Amino acid sequence: MSNPQRPLHFLYPINPKHGTLGIAGSKKILPASLENFKNTLNNSWDTEMGWWLTKNIGLIEKGDFIWAYFTLPISGVQGVGKVQKKWVDDSHAGPPTVIRIKWDKTLTKKLWKSPITFKELGYAPRNAAIHAYPKYQKVLDARLPGNK
């Protein structure tokens, strides 16, 4: 079996009603609202977030894209970043694998103005993080520089 071509793209669903946002390098955990996501990044675009994985643990690598899909009531992709690091953290009760994400300021701000909606994507990811199948990949690729 051949290795997939890098970087790969993953959709990471965020539930604004029940989820959390982890700030890498700190013990800070915030409710996963779109407002908290935007405020954290607007305070410092150097902020990296540490997010826990439940799927594709062995597939995600440094340099892969993470597309932040906020679930209902938002239902759309509101951010994109690249994996900076992956590690095992068994200091909490949840899934042990964590990825550190550095958000792309230009692309994420464009997504805030014009998110990739559920209707446009044609799919709502359920578990973190889901590899983007080719048909969904086309929608994501269209938002990357040089692919219009």
Side-chain angles (χ1 to χ4, degrees):
M1 185 165 134
S2 64
N3 289 334
Q5 188 172 351
R6 297 283 174 196
L8 296 179
H9 296 257
F10 294 87
L11 291 160
Y12 194 116
I14 302 158
N15 185 332
K17 294 179 182 178
H18 305 290
T20 58
L21 300 172
I23 309 305
S26 81
K27 300 287 183 189
K28 195 171 188 178
I29 304 287
L30 301 171
S33 69
L34 182 56
E35 180 182 10
N36 281 341
F37 182 71
K38 289 180 174 182
N39 288 341
T40 298
L41 293 179
N42 278 326
N43 287 337
S44 173
W45 282 92
D46 291 327
T47 298
E48 294 180 354
M49 294 184 184
W51 289 6
W52 290 269
L53 295 174
T54 58
K55 298 265 184 199
N56 290 314
I57 293 163
L59 192 55
I60 294 175
E61 292 182 7
K62 181 179 177 179
D64 287 339
F65 286 96
I66 300 294
W67 297 79
Y69 182 91
F70 282 78
T71 62
L72 288 172
I74 297 160
S75 296
V77 176
Q78 294 281 338
V80 61
K82 283 195 171 185
V83 175
Q84 303 299 305
K85 181 180 177 183
K86 180 172 84 171
W87 72 96
V88 173
D89 176 7
D90 54 9
S91 66
H92 64 91
T97 303
V98 183
I99 53 172
R100 182 174 287 182
I101 305 162
K102 173 81 169 125
W103 299 98
D104 184 295
K105 182 178 182 178
T106 302
L107 292 175
T108 295
K109 283 192 167 194
K110 285 180 181 179
L111 286 166
W112 290 349
K113 290 179 183 174
S114 177
I116 299 172
T117 63
F118 168 79
K119 184 176 180 179
E120 182 182 357
L121 188 59
Y123 173 72
R126 302 278 183 236
N127 295 0
I130 302 298
H131 181 250
Y133 296 116
K135 103 181 204 184
Y136 311 123
Q137 181 69 47
K138 290 176 185 176
V139 176
L140 302 175
D141 281 341
R143 297 294 186 108
L144 294 173
N147 290 343
K148 293 220 174 214

